[in-house]
């Protein structure tokens, strides 16, 4: 390794980047813009679910029951329908996601001490939203039933309301959300976004690098000179690693300052682990660049290996733990997952190397394999 | 020399003839790039297939228990944490060990049952079960908490009824509301119906932005655009064939994906009109291709084009309504979302294929997409004409 | 002469034995053996696809090969590691105008990058850089981004970058292709100086055979094999004969009569140039006259053949030049079908951001006329063409093409013209036929005429054999013929050709011109073209010379040469040995623009006899043996260089 030659390649690359003003600005604008847009716009809290009701009873009891939905912040009341037939078009058009049908004699039956079946129709298009909605419905019903039950107990056994209440609900749940007390999706999203943006942008910065030199012929300067393969590859990528690390710092600041995500871990450890990840993702771009012959192919291949896995397999939107075994296996093939654990561990859990060493090791192995493959693929005396 | 009668007499005929020549050219070029064809096939077929293995439901979340009571009652409660949502992770001796497992990701839920749990239940004294949930990932945390509450709540409810001397079968005689859920369109809430289609729509978006952008930038970079500019082709005749060719490829890929992956592998119910779906897809591909062309007029090289494409693409994908429902977004972004063609496309895609909706329901989304498409494409051509006119 | 003996005894710098290289199915190099001695300029010539580039890349250690062996500096090049050992002593410049440079970087940044990559010590870098920049006259443009340099300047910068680490062996792949004559002279002057001062060894390929006379030795490659090797004279000796030139008013008739007997014949402007395989001039003249009996013939002359003639003869001997059944000389005594004005430019002006690229240019071209636009790289030729073809709107002035006004009827113009652009701009990922079909359809050729029309241009340009090949796999020369075919497929009345023969080998160029002459004379097509080959400029009916955006001359080739003789004098051709000190002495004495041509020197002189005497005394005083000083007809290159340099001097003096 000759430092001077590495520096020469890096400096040249850097000058070229700086001269390409639009590219340079985009290299910084794209990560920040993605972070800002997603940070503000991407929320997994299922709230304001639009719903409608069909009330065949129209009694005080049915109104009381429905008001538990209408007053909930999870639901948005869109009005009352005359019959079940009106539900379908509204669901089909996505104007409502849920409908509640109160049967006739709802209040009467309850007053008689008999159970009543209430129908809830839910749009099943988006499974996560469906199960969340179901959860809310169950919770509202449970609360309503507990009240009904304690009133019933009080009336039947003649005990005071407090006792009846205790009898109706013998076990309470003390729910404690660890690491994210308010279960704010912004926190976890903002921190995982650091991973996501660092997964997507660096490969796109580097993927066209080598193939562009091959397409226009300047690669022959490298072939013909005494600079070694390793020196060239390292020199070529150093500016991009630098840009990506700077972006990493910016993203970190956004996550903590702007979105208020707590950072409980060891900054030094996090910075070092992130460097390994950036080396890894720039390496992905490098490998793509060496595999293809045209820039267009490089671009599409980068889409295949970065955007798609980082949407599906990084844990940003879809928790790895909730995938089936095949999905989990696929997720383990991409580096995003390991780094997502490091990010969440450092931000919200406050754990460090002692817990996360395995993930860092996985990333390091990943990076090593990528760079070794690139090194072996790059030949200064090619066959064509 | 060419005599006038040798030329096309009809202007329309000539226009179509040129248009056909250019479209054919784009298709030939696309077919020649083996890796590109591979990438397209991969995205349409393999990628949508893989997406079927991914879901957002709680799946075998590990529950560890700190059982300080060790009674029949506590064991019955613990027993209720069952697959598919939960998986027993064993007992721990103290709460600290449980927290440690949460730290390392060894468990998602720690159930802490207090001493004298059974005794309190039998004596009618209120008791509390503590549940600690790893909420670092909010989706998982939320679902785990929600299901845990349901299980424990149901357990308490059963206990209360038992004490009243009522068995579960005699619920009819208690004044409660029995909620009957009916999930429409995807009754079993199969993620394998949702994710592959969502992924397919995303792939269509990626293709329809990137392919025309790349094709146009390549002509700029290689200088072939110059040869076209001295021919009697109008800007529209140069650009439109790119879009039409890519749209054809996208429709082909979509058909293959629908037939082989969604229908073939996942038994996706195709409720609505396929003709309508393909019409909408073509319209959508056209709209987003306009964005691609716009990018091509800004970018001088492919590296710039790629970054610009990401800048447009990623927000479109995430703010499309598939991940974040519009009703949960901040007002400003919600407005922006209505401007995103993908939002309309996803609404219509699911509407047609899953819900069986027809034109009478979707006409407004279709109108929105058409207007957006005409606007965006027109703007792309206008920019191109200004640049090279 | 002790030094010479030492040189030839020394081990060769490059030794190639039985080299073989294949790309998939195609054989590029098929058993080449040659040796390059230290301190010589060794030339590689040959048609497109002969294997020159592959050979040079293999020598430079940037291309793996299958068979044979290569030794450079006694190091066998058989692996990447082995090649690395000698790369420090080699400088390699790949083909293509500045393609290996970095467009966004400035001149100085480009040089610095190469220097750093080669670990040139800082102290040495400054002096070397200053010297090389001064030599190439690039020092004024140190801070200019490379992409804003003209083609000639790019190529000189490429040379500077290749030389910055002072390699002992330089490998240059077509370094002068696409470079204007003035820059080309600079280029050779630099190379000559290096040779003289440092004794570097050079392996150079070229498509300009007039340059090949500068080589000490050369190899003629064809089909991956060496056809002939030796000093230029040896190549000439291998194809003995006489070049007969004459003018015949009934040109087509004369061509038709001579062609069956002397296949190597061409029409150059109004004259006919025919190669007679007979060493004796008198006998050769006699044979030609006998064939042309009854035709009016004048201005007959006989001279020794040039390297280009020898090149073609040698290749023909190998049946490398396919015999054409084309009816190039279809007999027409009728005047060209139309003789109206085809192209007219009136005061055309174009401003870019900071400078005026084209300044008040006016000229006109008639139907059936071949009009040559000459000028250094960056003089504004391409801009003129772009304005006339409607790609670029003019800032001022007006023009008409094919009877349509440039300003209002751009559409009509586009349908009536054909255009071959400077940079090859057809689709490389499509086959030849697919490209032809595309352009035929774009120009509205109907289905029923499509095949016939394509067949016609394919025959005309002789690309039938490669119809189903991908364009990317074709050599440059064939690509250019395809570009011409595409431009002709709709039968245009006017053709614009921007450096159509750049990088095309002599055989390809000769065919290209046969086609052009045919189009102009028989079909009456007006042709406007630019070229850097001055031998080609001779074919033009009229020439216009551009400099810094302005038209500085517009006349027939003959009139331009006459004017040069009146203004600057005659060209003296000096054979002297050793030649390099002779050049130095003439330069030092300030004798009219001396230039090295192989082992000969050219000097301009007003008073021929006095100058001849002065040169003799001057050189013999320096211990140089003067064999012979003869008078030569000035070439168009002499005209070009003189005009441009005179203009530059006038501007510098202002």
């Amino acid at each position: 390794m000759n430092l001077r030659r590495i520096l020469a390649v890096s400096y040249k690359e850097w000058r070229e980047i700086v001269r390409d003003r639009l590219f340079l600005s985009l290299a910084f604008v794209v990560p920040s813009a993605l972070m800002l847009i997603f940070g503000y716009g991407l929320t997994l809290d299922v709230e304001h679910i639009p719903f409608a009701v069909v009330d065949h009873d129209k009694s005080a009891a049915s109104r009381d029951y429905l008001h538990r939905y209408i007053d909930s912040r999870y639901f948005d009341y869109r009005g009352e329908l005359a019959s079940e037939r009106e539900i379908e078009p509204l669901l089909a058009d996505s104007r409502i996601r849920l409908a509640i049908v109160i049967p006739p004699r709802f209040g009467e039956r309850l007053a008689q001490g008999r159970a009543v079946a209430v129908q809830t129709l839910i749009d099943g298009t988006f499974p996560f939203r469906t199960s969340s909605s179901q959860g809310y419905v169950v919770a509202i019903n449970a609360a309503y039933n507990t009240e009904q039950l304690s009133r019933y107990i009080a009336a039947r056994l003649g005990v005071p309301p407090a006792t009846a209440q205790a009898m109706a609900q013998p076990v309470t749940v003390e729910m404690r959300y660890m690491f994210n007390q308010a279960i704010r999706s912004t926190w976890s999203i903002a921190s995982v976004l650091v991973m996501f943006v660092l997964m997507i942008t660096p490969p796109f910065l580097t993927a066209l690098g080598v193939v562009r030199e091959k397409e226009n012929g300047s690669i022959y300067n490298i072939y013909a000179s005494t600079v070694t393969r390793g020196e060239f590859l390292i020199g070529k990528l150093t500016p991009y690693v630098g840009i990506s690390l700077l972006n990493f710092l910016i993203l970190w600041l956004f996550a903590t300052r702007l979105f208020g995500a707590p950072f409980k871990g060891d900054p030094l450890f996090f910075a070092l682990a992130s460097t390994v990840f950036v080396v890894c993702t720039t390496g992905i771009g490098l490998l793509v660049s060496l595999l293809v012959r045209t820039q267009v192919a490089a671009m599409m291949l980068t889409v295949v290996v970065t955007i798609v896995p980082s949407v599906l397999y990084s844990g940003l939107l879809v928790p790895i733990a909730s995938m089936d075994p095949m999905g989990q296996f696929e997720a383990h093939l991409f580096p995003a997952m390991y780094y997502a654990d490091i990010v969440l561990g450092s931000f919200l859990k406050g754990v460090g190397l002692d817990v996360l060493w395995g993930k860092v090791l996985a990333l390091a192995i990943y990076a090593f394999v990528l760079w070794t493959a690139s090194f072996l693929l790059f030949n200064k005396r090619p066959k064509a | 020399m060419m005599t006038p009668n040798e030329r096309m007499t009809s202007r329309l005929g000539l226009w179509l003839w040129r248009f056909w020549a250019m479209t054919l050219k784009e298709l030939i070029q696309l077919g020649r790039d083996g890796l590109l064809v591979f990438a397209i096939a991969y995205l349409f077929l393999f990628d949508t297939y893989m997406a079927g293995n991914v879901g957002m439901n709680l799946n075998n979340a590990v529950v560890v228990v700190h059982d300080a009571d060790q009674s029949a009652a506590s064991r019955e409660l613990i027993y209720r944490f069952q697959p598919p949502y939960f998986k027993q992770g064993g007992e721990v001796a103290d709460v600290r060990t449980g927290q440690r497992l949460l730290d390392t990701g060894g468990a998602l839920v720690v159930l802490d049952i207090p001493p004298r749990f059974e005794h309190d239940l039998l004596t009618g004294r209120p008791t509390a079960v503590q549940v600690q949930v790893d909420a670092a990932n909010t989706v998982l945390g939320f679902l785990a908490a929600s299901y845990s509450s349901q299980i424990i709540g149901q357990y308490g409810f059963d206990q209360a009824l038992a004490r009243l001397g009522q068995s579960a079968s005699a619920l009819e005689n208690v004044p409660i509301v029995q909620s009957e859920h009916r999930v429409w369109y995807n009754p079993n809430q199969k993620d394998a119906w949702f994710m592959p289609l969502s992924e397919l729509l995303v792939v269509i978006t990626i293709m329809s932005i990137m392919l025309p952008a790349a094709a146009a930038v390549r002509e700029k970079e290689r200088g072939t655009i110059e040869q076209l500019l001295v021919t009697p082709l109008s800007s529209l005749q140069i650009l439109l064939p790119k879009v039409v060719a890519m749209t054809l490829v996208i429709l082909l890929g979509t058909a293959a994906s629908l037939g082989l992956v969604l229908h073939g592998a996942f038994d996706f119910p195709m409720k609505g009109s396929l003709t309508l779906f393909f019409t909408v897809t073509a319209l959508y591909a056209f709209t987003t291709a306009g964005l691609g062309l716009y990018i091509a007029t800004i970018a001088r090289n492919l590296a710039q084009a790629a970054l610009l494409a990401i800048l447009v693409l990623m927000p479109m994908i995430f703010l499309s309504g598939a991940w974040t429902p519009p009703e949960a977004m901040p007002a400003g972004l919600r407005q922006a979302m209505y401007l995103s063609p993908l939002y309309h496309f996803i609404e219509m895609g699911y509407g047609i294929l899953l819900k069986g909706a027809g034109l009478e329901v979707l006409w407004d989304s279709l109108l929105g997409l058409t207007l957006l498409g005409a606007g965006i494409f027109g703007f792309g051509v206008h920019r191109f004409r200004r640049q090279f006119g | 002469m002790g030094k010479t003996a030492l040189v030839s005894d020394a081990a060769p710098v490059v030794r190639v034995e039985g080299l073989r290289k294949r790309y998939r199915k195609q054989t590029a190099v098929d058993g080449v053996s040659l040796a390059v001695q230290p301190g010589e300029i060794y030339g590689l010539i040959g048609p497109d696809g002969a294997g020159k580039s592959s050979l040079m890349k293999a020598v430079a250690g940037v291309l793996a090969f299958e068979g044979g062996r290569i030794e450079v500096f006694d190091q066998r090049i058989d692996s990447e590691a082995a090649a690395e050992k000698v790369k420090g002593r080699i400088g390699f410049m790949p083909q293509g105008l500045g393609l290996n440079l970095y467009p966004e970087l400035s001149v100085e940044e480009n040089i610095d990058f190469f220097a750093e990559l080669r670990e040139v010590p800082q102290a040495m870098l400054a002096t070397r850089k200053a010297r090389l920049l001064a030599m190439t006259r690039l020092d004024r443009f140190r801070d200019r981004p490379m992409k804003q340099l003209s083609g000639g300047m790019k190529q000189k910068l490429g040379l500077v970058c290749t030389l910055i680490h002072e390699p002992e062996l330089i490998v240059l792949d077509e370094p002068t292709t696409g470079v204007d004559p003035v820059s080309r002279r600079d280029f050779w002057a630099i190379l000559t100086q290096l040779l003289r001062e440092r004794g570097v060894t050079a392996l150079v390929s070229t498509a300009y055979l007039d340059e090949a006379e500068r080589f000490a030795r050369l190899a003629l490659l064809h089909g991956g094999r060496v056809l002939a090797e030796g000093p230029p004279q040896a190549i000439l000796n291998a194809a003995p004969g006489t070049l007969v030139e004459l003018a015949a008013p009934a040109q087509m008739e004369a061509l038709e009569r001579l062609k069956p007997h002397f296949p190597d014949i061409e029409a150059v402007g109004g004259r006919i140039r025919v190669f007679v395989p007979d060493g004796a001039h008198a006998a050769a003249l006699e044979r030609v006259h006998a064939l042309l009996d009854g035709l009016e013939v004048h201005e007959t002359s006989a001279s020794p053949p040039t390297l280009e003639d020898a090149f073609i003869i040698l290749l023909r001997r190998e049946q490398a030049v396919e015999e054409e059944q084309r009816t190039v000389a279809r007999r027409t005594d009728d005047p060209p079908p139309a003789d109206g004005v085809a192209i007219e430019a009136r005061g055309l002006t174009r401003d870019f951001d900071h400078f005026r690229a084209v300044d008040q240019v006016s000229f006109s071209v008639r139907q059936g006329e071949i009009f040559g636009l000459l000028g250094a790289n960056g003089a504004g030729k391409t801009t003129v063409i772009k304005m006339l073809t409607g790609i670029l709107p003019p800032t001022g002035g007006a023009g008409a093409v094919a009877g349509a006004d440039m300003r209002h009827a751009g559409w009509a113009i586009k349908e009536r013209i054909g255009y071959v652009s400077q940079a090859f701009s057809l689709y490389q990922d499509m086959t030849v036929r697919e490209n032809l079909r595309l352009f035929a359809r774009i120009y509205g050729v109907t289905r029923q005429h499509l095949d016939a029309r394509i067949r016609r241009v394919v025959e005309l340009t002789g690309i039938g054999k490669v119809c189903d090949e991908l364009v990317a796999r074709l050599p440059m020369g064939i690509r250019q013929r395809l570009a011409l075919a595409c431009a002709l497929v709709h039968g245009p009345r006017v053709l614009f050709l921007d450096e159509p023969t750049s990088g095309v080998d002599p055989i390809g160029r000769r065919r290209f011109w046969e086609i052009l002459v045919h189009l102009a004379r028989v079909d009456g097509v007006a042709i406007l073209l630019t070229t850097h080959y001055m031998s080609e400029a001779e074919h033009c009916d009229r020439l216009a010379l551009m400099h810094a955006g302005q038209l500085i001359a517009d006349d027939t080739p003959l009139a331009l040469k006459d004017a040069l003789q009146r203004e600057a004098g005659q060209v003296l051709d000096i054979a002297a040995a050793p030649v390099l000190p002779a050049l130095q002495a003439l330069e030092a004495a300030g004798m009219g623009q001396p230039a090295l041509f192989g082992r000969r020197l050219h000097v301009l002189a007003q008073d021929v006899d006095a100058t001849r005497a002065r040169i003799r005394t001057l050189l013999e005083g320096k211990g140089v043996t003067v064999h012979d000083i003869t008078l030569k007809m000035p070439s168009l290159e002499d005209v070009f260089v003189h005009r441009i340099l005179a203009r530059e001097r006038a501007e510098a003096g202002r």
Side-chain angles (χ1 to χ4, degrees), chain B residues 18-28 241 244-245 248:
Chain B
R18 286 176 178 160
F19 183 80
W20 156 242
M22 290 294 287
T23 310
L24 193 66
K25 175 215 117 190
E26 296 295 338
L27 290 174
I28 290 173
V244 169
L248 280 176

Side-chain angles (χ1 to χ4, degrees), chain A residues 238-255:
Chain A
T238 303
Y240 298 103
V241 172
I243 290 176
S244 300
L245 284 178
L246 202 58
N247 274 325
F248 158 70
L249 292 177
I250 296 171
L251 295 174
W252 193 357
L253 278 179
F254 273 148

Side-chain angles (χ1 to χ4, degrees), chain B residues 23-45:
Chain B
T23 310
L24 193 66
K25 175 215 117 190
E26 296 295 338
L27 290 174
I28 290 173
Q29 284 190 297
L30 194 75
R32 285 279 147 74
D33 198 335
L35 255 168
L36 193 59
V37 174
F38 165 78
I40 294 172
Y42 174 91
L43 286 175
F44 273 115
L45 296 178

Side-chain angles (χ1 to χ4, degrees), chain B residues 298-368:
Chain B
I298 300 175
R300 271 189 298 116
N301 52 50
L302 265 174
Q304 293 176 353
L307 286 179
L308 282 168
I310 293 184
L311 193 58
V312 174
L313 204 53
M314 295 316 294
M316 260 178 79
I317 292 176
F318 281 100
L319 306 183
S320 61
W323 301 106
T324 297
E327 51 263 26
M329 277 209 280
L333 278 170
R334 194 157 61 226
Q335 304 307 320
M337 187 165 154
Y338 293 133
L339 281 179
S340 156
L342 184 56
Y343 167 72
H344 298 280
F345 184 45
I346 284 194
E347 281 300 322
M348 284 192 280
Y350 281 109
I352 296 168
L353 291 179
L354 211 50
K355 303 180 179 177
L359 259 184
E360 68 286 354
V361 173
L362 297 171
W363 67 270
D364 50 344
S365 288
L366 194 65
L367 185 70

